[in-house]
């Protein structure tokens, strides 16, 4: 790969409310896809001098990319909670309560991934669809099938998407035709997928396996124990599950595990599944104790504002402002894919805003709504922290890998709010975040490689 140099507007996040806008930056990516230089202020006239002062070998091929005044670079979006098989069921069963939705819509759909040809077809479309929308990293739940999950990992690698991929472990409270046949079989299949991911991407350049108990309801205690042991034996692997998502789920969990008195934090901690590698989806209904527990254990929160309001039962607005105020800042966004009506992280940002405004009203003004810098943090750096990848991606710090989007705010054929001559860069950015779509995502890079499928 040649060196890549980009000059123009660059926008990234350094923290929950630290939006950085560089009007005339120069960023250099080396042949390994790593950011070697970020010159924050590089006036156009000085570019030749600046470039010659960098230590790029004279003989090395390089591509220079000069952005126009209506284009800008942002980090790739990170989807911290995504069910890949549900790509094929999006929009169905909206408004059903969670356990009914699983039984009537989700399990019959996911069961079809026993067929590798079906898995290949749907997963190709899924990975391409997310890349097209600027999702450079996704944390995927597969179906329960090891073969289909390996196919998903193969496809992410082939198409260049960074991903955490996990086979769903689930051996009870699901129909006979869609559950792991035993604890042993469930664990063995997870181990075979771990081996597959390590084989196809030995250095972990793009892929990691993620230990994936679907949720406590679908795992016998012995399976949770086995997965906890797997997590202990593989300290490099993240863990993902659904956590305090909906009332119906929480009531049944308490019934199945009365010893934890309704604390899912205690439940997952007991089985060795709650630590700084945990990605907890939803976290809608949290006791003070549980919020403190996930803070102390440094767990990540995958906020899924769209599915929280379309399936599950009722209006489930996770307390994101309260988390931030209490120092829980390891929070990202999830599309949840099939649970909601959209697979766009831009839409997830917008719905996170709506949910936070509702929370402001519900808390009588105490928990203020989120602003755009905070939403952008959740979609990028926050998501990287949740996935345990913030040393490699999430923003444009020197030394990180270049996962980025070129946004074209005046792309032909789009529906984004029109630009005015006197718009500031911040105004252009806000217009994109609130009204842009994939037509404004001109290019998508993962590790410096262009991966957008047009
Ligand atoms: N809880 C267990 N499985 C699922 C799922 O597939 N989606 C959602 N939203 N919640 C779940
Ligand atoms: Fe989910």
């Amino acid at each position: 790969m040649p060196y890549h140099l980009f000059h123009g507007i660059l926008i990234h996040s350094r923290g929950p409310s630290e939006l950085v806008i560089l009007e005339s930056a120069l960023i250099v990516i080396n042949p390994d896809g790593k950011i070697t230089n970020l010159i924050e202020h590089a006036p156009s006239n000085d570019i030749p001098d600046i470039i010659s002062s960098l230590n790029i070998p004279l003989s090395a091929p390089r591509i220079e990319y000069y952005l126009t005044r209506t284009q800008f670079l942002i980090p790739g979006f990170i989807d911290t909670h995504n069910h890949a098989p549900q790509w094929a069921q999006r929009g169905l069963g909206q408004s059903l309560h969670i356990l009914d939705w699983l039984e009537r819509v989700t399990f019959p759909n996911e069961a079809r991934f026993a067929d590798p040809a079906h898995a290949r077809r749907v997963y190709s479309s899924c990975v391409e669809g997310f890349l097209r929308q600027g999702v450079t990293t996704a944390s995927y739940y597969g179906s329960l099938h090891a073969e289909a999950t390996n196919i998903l990992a193969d496809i992410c690698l082939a198409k260049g998407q960074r991903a955490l991929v996990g086979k769903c472990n689930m051996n009870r409270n699901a129909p006979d035709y869609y559950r792991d046949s035993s604890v042993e079989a469930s664990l063995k299949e997870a181990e075979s997928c771990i081996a597959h991911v390590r084989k196809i991407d030995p250095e972990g350049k793009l892929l990691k396996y993620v230990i994936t108990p679907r949720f406590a309801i679908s795992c016998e205690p012995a399976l949770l124990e086995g997965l906890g042991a797997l997590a202990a034996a593989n300290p490099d692997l993240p863990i993902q599950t659904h956590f305090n998502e909906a009332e119906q789920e929480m009531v049944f969990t308490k019934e199945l595990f009365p010893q934890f008195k309704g604390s899912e934090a205690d439940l997952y901690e007991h089985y060795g599944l709650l630590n700084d590698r945990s990605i907890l989806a939803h976290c809608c209904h949290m006791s003070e104790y549980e919020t403190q527990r996930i803070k102390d254990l440094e767990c990540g929160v995958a906020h899924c504002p769209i599915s929280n309001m379309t399936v599950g039962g009722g209006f489930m607005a996770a307390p994101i402002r309260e988390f931030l105020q209490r120092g829980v800042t390891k929070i990202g966004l999830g599309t949840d894919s099939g649970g909601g009506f959209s697979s766009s992280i831009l839409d997830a940002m917008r719905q996170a805003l709506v949910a936070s405004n509702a929370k402001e009203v519900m808390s009588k003004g105490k928990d203020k709504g989120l602003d755009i810098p905070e939403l952008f943090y959740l979609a990028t750096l926050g998501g990287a922290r949740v996935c345990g990848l913030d040393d490699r991606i999430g923003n444009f710090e020197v030394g990180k890998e270049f996962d980025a989007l070129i946004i074209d705010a005046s792309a032909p054929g789009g529906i984004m709010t029109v630009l005015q001559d006197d718009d500031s860069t911040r105004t252009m950015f806000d217009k994109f975040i609130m009204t842009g779509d994939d037509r404004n995502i001109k290019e998508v890079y993962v590790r410096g490689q262009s991966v957008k499928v047009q």
Side-chain angles (χ1 to χ4, degrees), residues 33-348:
K34 279 205 174 142
I35 301 166
T36 56
N37 307 82
L38 174 61
I39 292 94
E40 298 204 347
H41 182 61
S44 298
N45 290 342
D46 300 347
I47 291 174
D49 287 346
I50 294 172
I51 292 179
S52 60
S53 74
L54 303 172
N55 48 2
I56 302 175
L58 271 179
S59 58
R62 67 177 195 232
I63 295 173
E64 295 175 18
Y65 205 115
Y66 293 90
L67 303 179
T68 68
R69 180 65 192 90
T70 61
Q71 295 179 337
F72 52 95
L73 271 178
I74 59 172
F77 294 139
I78 297 172
D79 187 348
T80 60
H81 183 75
N82 185 322
H83 297 264
Q86 295 177 17
W87 179 253
Q89 70 175 69
R90 288 169 299 145
L92 305 180
Q94 308 285 283
S95 300
L96 286 175
H97 280 242
I98 190 71
L99 302 181
D100 307 311
W101 173 80
L102 285 172
E103 190 182 309
R104 285 200 236 161
V105 181
T106 305
F107 293 152
N109 170 60
E110 292 192 9
R112 298 168 63 126
F113 288 75
D115 172 9
H118 179 73
R120 201 171 295 283
R121 210 164 40 241
V122 175
Y123 288 159
S124 288
S125 162
C126 166
V127 171
E128 285 180 9
F130 281 103
L131 282 174
R132 190 178 301 125
Q133 296 177 91
V135 173
T136 49
T137 299
S139 188
Y140 285 121
Y141 288 59
S143 62
L144 62 70
H145 313 98
E147 187 177 2
T149 304
N150 290 342
I151 288 170
L152 174 60
D154 293 343
I155 288 172
C156 292
L157 191 62
K159 295 190 184 294
Q161 188 178 44
R162 199 184 290 277
L164 313 183
V165 177
K167 164 214 142 45
C168 255
N169 292 97
M170 44 186 290
N171 75 333
R172 68 166 169 177
N173 291 314
D176 287 346
Y177 67 83
Y178 192 59
R179 75 164 86 129
D180 289 322
S181 58
S182 67
V183 170
E184 294 68 33
S186 186
L187 294 171
K188 231 171 131 194
E189 293 216 330
E191 283 171 19
S192 75
C193 291
I194 293 172
H196 180 81
V197 171
R198 287 188 176 141
K199 188 177 94 203
I200 61 172
D201 187 12
E203 293 170 60
K205 285 187 171 172
L206 290 179
L207 302 182
K208 243 186 202 197
Y209 186 82
V210 50
I211 295 170
T212 306
R214 184 168 204 128
F215 60 168
I217 289 174
S218 60
C219 300
E220 286 176 348
L223 181 53
L224 292 171
E225 249 164 49
L227 292 168
L230 199 60
N234 294 275
D236 57 322
L237 299 186
I239 303 158
Q240 62 184 355
T241 196
H242 294 86
F243 194 90
N244 284 344
E245 177 179 6
E247 203 181 334
Q248 201 186 32
E249 169 263 319
M250 291 168 69
V251 167
F252 193 28
T253 304
K254 191 174 173 184
E255 222 174 282
L256 292 169
F257 298 89
Q259 67 273 38
F260 302 111
K261 303 185 172 64
S263 166
E264 293 197 10
D266 287 350
L267 188 164
Y268 289 108
E269 188 177 359
H270 173 83
Y271 291 107
L273 295 164
L274 206 72
N275 55 41
D276 61 352
R277 296 179 276 141
S278 307
I279 304 172
L280 306 177
H282 303 287
C283 300
C284 295
H285 306 285
M286 302 285 288
S287 67
E288 245 180 58
Y289 167 78
E290 285 179 307
T291 301
Q292 191 59 40
R293 209 68 208 116
I294 67 166
K295 176 174 189 266
D296 292 345
L297 295 172
E298 297 174 38
C299 307
V301 174
H303 177 37
C304 305
I306 298 181
S307 62
N308 285 349
M309 296 186 194
T310 51
V311 298
F315 184 89
M316 306 178 301
I320 302 303
R321 171 62 65 209
E322 207 182 318
F323 289 156
L324 292 172
Q325 272 165 352
R326 295 185 53 171
V328 178
T329 56
K330 206 169 148 187
I331 313 174
L333 293 174
T335 61
D336 208 1
S337 196
F341 52 78
S342 172
S343 47
S344 154
I345 288 288
L346 284 168
D347 282 344

